[in-house]
Every structure is written in structure tokens, then in C-alpha cells.
Amino acid sequence: MKGLQKLLHSSIIRILAGGFLLVIVPTIALCLIYSYSSMDMLRDEYDISYANNTKLISDQFSDKLRDLEMTAAPLLVDEDLVKMSVMDKNSLDLWSYTIFKSRLSLYFASRFIASNVSVILPIQKRVISTKYGVDSFSKYNMLGNLQELNRDQPIWAVRPSLRNPNEKCYSIIKGYAYPRQSRPLISIEISESEIVGQLKALFGDNDKIMASFLIDINGKVFKLDKDNILNQNILQNIMEQNNNNTKSEPFTYKDKDGLYRIVFSKLDTYQCIIGIIYNEKEILSPVTRMMSFLVAILIFAAIAVAFYIIVSYRKIYSPANVLVDAMKRVAEGDFQSHTHIINNSEFGMMSVQFNNMVDQLDKSLKEKYLAQENLNKAHLKFLKSQIKPHFLYNCLYSIYNMIKSENLDNAADMTMYLGHFYQKITHFDDKDTTILREMENIKLYLKIHQLRSPEKFDYNCLIDAGLEEMIIPSLSLQTIVENAISHAFVNHNRKNFIDIKAICVDENVQLIVEDNGIGLSQEQLGNILSQLNLDFSDKTHGIQNVFSRFRLMYGGEVELNISTDMGRGTKFTFSIPKTIIKQEQELLKNV
């Protein structure tokens, strides 16, 4: 188990498996997505086709029912029929009924749908039918209560036939029944076989349609169902869909026997539903077979990847893991670590080259460490030498003169400042320091000069809040200040002044050393600027040294601007981006 976990944590194995699956899985996924999309498109195409066909048949059926009603409606006000309906039953002979029966048959003989139209004469207790001729009420057991019959049959619905209650038909009664009925009523009945014949038009020669149906307002059904699949559950779902949706939306019904798609159309005028059922699973079977095939390919690909990983483990992962472990030991500082892969593969060559590289790296690091130590010592020694020995001599002579002139307070202060100053200088063991420490050291240096020339020298030191702990090269600003005192105030008649600032300006930190000395000539300025970008070496000194150290610390984005005016002074401005400072501080924290 641990070996498997280690294997799965290998980036090489993950890359190999990922590279193998990167082609197979997306391809199969795209194929599956396309298959699902094709399935939806195929279903939609069938839905649209069958829905249009169903709507066409529904409209035709609706027109046929309307034609029957419009043909029957004038009979209710037909003059001859109204006269017959109010006459005494004994006043009419059979001939009169036969004549009207012929007229009735003639009216409905050419209708678009075969039907049995019956004229009910309540007073005569007679029924004149296009199918059965003239009969008495005794042949129509369901005409016992005309008012109840009229209330129950004002719209088209599936009902028992008036003459043969054991036979179902699609019927409606036109007219109005009331007590002491004298006016005629008209019954229109369409037989079940005729309705089934109309439904058969929905089938055509399409063997994919399994059933067609007509459902009336009461949920009773006429159906053409060759496989007897139109059960009560499907009928209930059709009625629910019809009640819940304003549009006749096709839907899928799934049960243990199969997957069925139901397409139907509402006849709002006659409050019935006509529709079909087809086998969705059979229609979509080509697409589902393709999806099954793709899933099988995916499973095979997974097995192939597993086998490929096992082979890769022996050929790639195991020797690679040896190299990785050796690299980890080297990263931890063990430069005596070597690998032992003995074969003629690329990993064997890598092992030899790795061992040679480790030996060379160990040798190079030792040499570089010694060189860096020597460079640091020489560098610090060079920086400390920037404070000229004659400064100490001048300070001691000044103290001597103060004592001789009995200016003991200033002599004591200078002695204390000088002691603190050299104490800090001699303890600068690091190449870097903070702005605050550098500024404190400069203040000691300037206070000493102020005591030596109290009437001729003044200074100002400023650090913006938040910059106190910013790291800068040690004795860098000190070098600029010393250079100003040594050169800027020669033959200078005004009161000497030096302004040292560390301030934030926009997105930069600026370190400024400004004096009011004699300034620089264009030649002097040119010489300084030409030396700034030279590579750092033991021969660099003064401003070039400071600028090089700033760039070594913060990179090439450090800028030095020197502005000068003969007779008015010189201003040195080091500009460092805040983002670079932040990165350097984070690096120092991690170290």
C-alpha cells in the first residue's frame, strides 16, 4: 500500500498517465457530450415530426366534429321537424317519418366522418336515425329521462350508445330538454370503430409508433394499441401533463417495461386530447449503442493506463526516484551523496553525470565560500578605511585645544562623541545596516564636526515614519557625508550645512544627502557619472562604491541622481522602488 501511495505521488507517473489520458478521456468525453446532444436532437426531431402530424390530425378531426355540429344545428329550427315534434303522435303516419328520415340521411351522407345522427321527438316517443331508421323509445332504454340525459351529454365525450348501451361511442346531444318537452333533440354518435379508424391515420406505415389515442374530458379513452401498453398509469400522466401545461409538451414515461415518448395535442374547443406513443428507447438505440461502445473504450483505456503505469514504474520511476532521493540529500547539504544506477539506459548516463556534477559542485562551493569570506573581509576593511586617519588626529588636537582653553564641557562632549563613533565603526561586522543605525552614526560624526566649528557648521537628519528599519549598505550614506565635508566646504565662506533625509516620494524611497558647499564642475560631474556603471572591484571607491553596493543589494532599478550648482551646493539622491525594498525584506525574513 505504501509503495502504491509513493507511486501515485510521483510526478513522472502522473505525467505519463495524464499524457495518456489527456487524449483519450477528453476525446471520449466530447464524444459522449456529442452523443447526448445527438440524442436530444434526435428526440426533438421526432417530437417535432410527430407533434406536427398529431396537430394536423387533431385539426382535421376538430373540423369534422364542427362540420357535424353545423349540419345538425339547422335541424333544431327546421320548420317541418318543428311541426312534426308538436303534433300528436297519432296524427303522423309512418310515411311522414320515412320522408324526414330520407332528408336526414341525405344531410349527413356526405359528411367527412361517418356518424349515426338521431332526431329525438319527445311527444311522439319516436327516434328517427340515419342508421336505424324510425323506432320508438322502447328500443332506446337510455331515453327514459331526457332532462338528465341532456345535462349529462352537452359536450362531446365517450359514452354508451343510446340504442346499444354495451357499445361505446363518441357522442353529443344538441338541443334543450325541459319539462313537458316538445322540441326535438339531436344526438350525434361516432362509433368506436370510426374513431379508431381516424386514429389509424396517425400510424400510417410507421412501425415505431406503438399506440395512438383519444381521451375525452372525463378521461375515457379510445385507443389503437397493438402492444397494449396504454395502461392506467400512462393515462394518468397524460391527464396531469395536460392539466399542468398550457402547451401540449411531449414527455417521457418510464416504467419497468420500457421507455415511452408521448406526443399529444389538445382540442380546446372539444376538451379532448389526441396523441401517440412511440418507443423512445428503440428510436435512440443507435445513439445508446454508440455511448456504450465509448464507455467500453474508456474502461479499456483505464486498464491500459494501469498496465502502462506498472511498466513505467520499472523502467522510469524506480531509477528516477533514486536520482530524486540523491538530489534531496544534496539539497540538504550532503555533497558526498552519489547514485548507483548500473545500466546502459539514459538513467545510467544521468547517474554518472550527476555524480560528476556533485563532485564539481562540492569543489566549487568550497572555493566560492573561501573567496566570499576574503571578499567580505576586504570589503569591510575598505569601508572602514573610508574614515581617514587624519579625522582622528584632528579630533584629538581639537580636544587638546579645548582643554588648554578650559572649554572642558565641549572637550568632554567631543570625547564622548568620538568614543561612541569609533565604538560603532569598529563593531560594524555586517555589510548591511538599518537607516536608523546609519543615521545615528552620521549624527555622531556631524556632532563632532559641529563642536569643532560651532559657528560654521550645522546639519539636519530626517527619517519618514516606517523607514527606520529599512536595510541599506553599512557606511553608505556616511561615505557621501564624509565626501561632502572633505570637498564641498573648501574655501567656503557661508555657514556649512548638510541635510540628510530618508523620505517616501510616490512609489519610491529616496535617500538624500545635500550640502550648501561649492558644488561640482561639469568636468567633475562627468567623471563621477562615467564611473557609476563600472563593475564593482577592489579598486572602486567613494560614490562609485556606494552606488555599486546599493545595486548589489536592490538590483538595477536603483537610480542615483546628482544635481549640482557651482557656488550653491550638491545634492545626491538615491531612488529605490518600494516593491523592491519589500521583496528584499521578505527575503531577509525567510533567511
Side-chain angles (χ1 to χ4, degrees):
M1 182 61 69
K2 290 183 178 179
L4 180 60
Q5 292 178 350
K6 191 175 182 180
L7 178 65
L8 295 177
H9 279 88
S10 169
S11 60
I12 295 177
I13 296 300
R14 291 200 302 269
I15 290 172
L16 290 173
F20 189 79
L21 295 175
L22 193 61
V23 177
I24 298 297
V25 174
T27 302
I28 294 179
L30 289 174
C31 291
L32 290 175
I33 292 172
Y34 179 75
S35 299
Y36 277 111
S37 176
S38 300
M39 187 180 296
D40 291 338
M41 291 174 62
L42 184 61
R43 185 189 294 113
D44 291 343
E45 289 294 329
Y46 271 94
D47 284 348
I48 293 172
S49 175
Y50 287 143
N52 290 337
N53 192 26
T54 304
K55 185 69 169 60
L56 179 62
I57 298 297
S58 300
D59 291 343
Q60 292 177 354
F61 186 72
S62 179
D63 291 341
K64 292 175 182 179
L65 294 181
R66 187 179 300 107
D67 175 67
L68 287 174
E69 289 186 17
M70 292 179 65
T71 304
L75 292 175
L76 294 173
V77 293
D78 182 82
E79 184 176 354
D80 293 338
L81 182 60
V82 171
K83 287 180 181 180
M84 288 176 59
S85 67
V86 298
M87 293 178 66
D88 184 79
K89 64 180 180 179
N90 297 321
S91 300
L92 291 172
D93 56 18
L94 185 59
W95 178 251
S96 300
Y97 292 122
T98 303
I99 293 297
F100 186 78
K101 190 267 179 186
S102 298
R103 286 179 57 199
L104 188 65
S105 298
L106 183 62
Y107 281 151
F108 291 94
S110 59
R111 297 303 100 194
F112 297 107
I113 185 169
S115 61
N116 178 32
V117 180
S118 302
V119 176
I120 302 170
L121 301 174
I123 292 179
Q124 287 77 24
K125 300 294 183 180
R126 296 283 183 179
V127 177
I128 304 173
S129 168
T130 58
K131 182 176 181 180
Y132 300 107
V134 182
D135 280 321
S136 64
F137 272 25
S138 61
K139 298 288 184 69
Y140 292 83
N141 295 329
M142 297 187 67
L143 296 179
N145 189 338
L146 291 178
Q147 289 178 266
E148 184 65 28
L149 183 66
N150 182 243
R151 271 195 305 270
D152 182 52
Q153 301 188 15
I155 60 174
W156 288 97
V158 178
R159 303 183 180 92
S161 172
L162 294 179
R163 185 180 176 90
N164 300 308
N166 294 327
E167 296 180 4
K168 290 193 300 181
C169 65
Y170 195 58
S171 66
I172 188 173
I173 291 182
K174 307 292 290 186
Y176 177 65
Y178 54 92
R180 298 179 183 179
Q181 174 77 15
S182 62
R183 292 281 183 172
L185 299 175
I186 297 177
S187 169
I188 304 175
E189 296 180 350
I190 304 173
S191 67
E192 182 176 5
S193 61
E194 182 66 22
I195 295 294
V196 171
Q198 296 292 321
L199 294 176
K200 195 171 183 179
L202 286 173
F203 270 103
D205 296 328
N206 193 340
D207 57 355
K208 292 183 173 60
I209 297 178
M210 305 183 69
S212 59
F213 56 86
L214 181 147
I215 304 175
D216 72 356
I217 188 174
N218 300 315
K220 295 180 180 178
V221 63
F222 281 140
K223 61 182 179 177
L224 184 59
D225 188 358
K226 50 187 179 181
D227 295 320
N228 198 28
I229 63 171
L230 191 59
N231 55 39
Q232 192 60 37
N233 290 333
I234 295 180
L235 288 174
Q236 185 177 352
N237 274 271
I238 295 173
M239 296 298 293
E240 289 177 357
Q241 290 287 332
N242 179 59
N243 294 332
N244 294 335
N245 298 325
T246 56
K247 295 183 179 180
S248 304
E249 297 290 344
F251 68 96
T252 299
Y253 177 80
K254 183 179 181 181
D255 63 11
K256 62 181 181 179
D257 297 323
L259 191 67
Y260 306 113
R261 190 73 173 171
I262 300 170
V263 182
F264 64 95
S265 176
K266 299 179 184 178
L267 280 72
D268 293 326
T269 304
Y270 300 103
Q271 302 184 45
C272 66
I273 303 170
I274 291 180
I276 61 169
I277 301 175
Y278 67 87
N279 192 330
E280 181 177 319
K281 186 176 181 180
E282 181 179 346
I283 289 175
L284 300 179
S285 59
V287 180
T288 55
R289 282 196 297 270
M290 177 60 69
M291 293 175 63
S292 300
F293 179 70
L294 292 174
V295 171
I297 292 177
L298 183 61
I299 295 173
F300 175 78
I303 296 173
V305 168
F307 178 76
Y308 187 66
I309 289 175
I310 293 173
V311 174
S312 300
Y313 173 79
R314 298 185 61 185
K315 298 292 185 180
I316 299 175
Y317 174 73
S318 184
N321 197 43
V322 172
L323 285 171
V324 170
D325 290 340
M327 290 177 184
K328 288 180 180 179
R329 292 194 297 272
V330 171
E332 293 171 355
D334 181 9
F335 293 102
Q336 303 302 317
S337 177
H338 289 77
T339 60
H340 302 282
I341 301 175
I342 304 173
N343 56 46
N344 296 325
S345 67
E346 290 83 354
F347 286 102
M349 297 174 62
M350 290 172 63
S351 174
V352 173
Q353 296 300 323
F354 175 79
N355 294 336
N356 293 336
M357 181 190 69
V358 170
D359 293 338
Q360 188 64 34
L361 184 61
D362 183 40
K363 180 180 177 181
S364 298
L365 285 176
K366 290 177 180 178
E367 292 176 353
K368 186 174 181 179
Y369 176 78
L370 294 175
Q372 187 65 39
E373 284 292 309
N374 294 332
L375 179 60
N376 289 340
K377 292 177 181 179
H379 181 63
L380 186 58
K381 181 179 179 181
F382 173 75
L383 289 175
K384 291 179 180 180
S385 70
Q386 298 301 302
I387 308 301
K388 304 298 182 181
H390 63 77
F391 170 70
L392 177 60
Y393 305 151
N394 292 336
C395 290
L396 293 175
Y397 282 125
S398 296
I399 294 171
Y400 173 77
N401 291 330
M402 289 176 186
I403 295 172
K404 291 290 290 183
S405 60
E406 297 184 354
N407 190 358
L408 300 181
D409 290 338
N410 285 345
D413 290 340
M414 180 174 285
T415 303
M416 182 183 65
Y417 294 152
L418 189 62
H420 285 322
F421 177 73
Y422 274 102
Q423 182 183 26
K424 289 180 178 293
I425 289 295
T426 54
H427 285 82
F428 264 117
D429 296 330
D430 298 326
K431 296 186 296 181
D432 310 322
T433 187
T434 63
I435 289 180
L436 181 61
R437 289 179 60 192
E438 181 81 355
M439 201 70 81
E440 289 175 350
N441 190 58
I442 291 172
K443 286 180 181 179
L444 290 172
Y445 180 75
L446 294 178
K447 283 179 180 179
I448 294 171
H449 277 284
Q450 197 175 39
L451 286 174
R452 291 174 58 189
S453 305
E455 302 297 331
K456 294 184 178 182
F457 188 83
D458 202 357
Y459 67 91
N460 176 58
C461 294
L462 173 66
I463 304 176
D464 275 359
L467 298 180
E468 295 87 348
E469 297 302 317
M470 174 182 165
I471 303 300
I472 62 173
S474 60
L475 301 178
S476 54
L477 298 183
Q478 171 73 30
T479 302
I480 304 298
V481 171
E482 180 194 353
N483 185 71
I485 292 176
S486 301
H487 303 288
F489 301 133
V490 177
N491 300 322
H492 187 251
N493 298 322
R494 298 190 305 274
K495 186 175 183 178
N496 302 333
F497 181 76
I498 292 183
D499 189 14
I500 306 103
K501 293 185 290 188
I503 59 176
C504 294
V505 179
D506 297 330
E507 296 301 320
N508 297 314
V509 173
Q510 290 189 352
L511 306 177
I512 301 171
V513 178
E514 184 177 7
D515 63 68
N516 65 341
I518 61 175
L520 297 172
S521 66
Q522 290 301 316
E523 182 181 357
Q524 291 174 319
L525 181 60
N527 291 333
I528 294 174
L529 294 177
S530 65
Q531 295 177 359
L532 288 182
N533 294 320
L534 296 178
D535 293 335
F536 178 79
S537 67
D538 290 341
K539 296 181 179 181
T540 57
H541 58 84
I543 297 171
Q544 181 194 1
N545 172 57
V546 174
F547 183 59
S548 297
R549 293 174 65 208
F550 267 111
R551 285 207 161 183
L552 286 171
M553 176 176 290
Y554 289 114
E557 295 189 40
V558 178
E559 295 181 357
L560 171 59
N561 182 48
I562 304 174
S563 57
T564 183
D565 190 356
M566 288 297 292
R568 293 178 178 272
T570 305
K571 181 179 179 181
F572 294 86
T573 304
F574 293 91
S575 183
I576 309 170
K578 290 181 181 179
T579 55
I580 303 299
I581 296 172
K582 185 176 181 181
Q583 292 174 6
E584 183 68 20
Q585 289 175 339
E586 291 295 329
L587 181 61
L588 290 174
K589 287 181 181 179
N590 294 333
V591 173

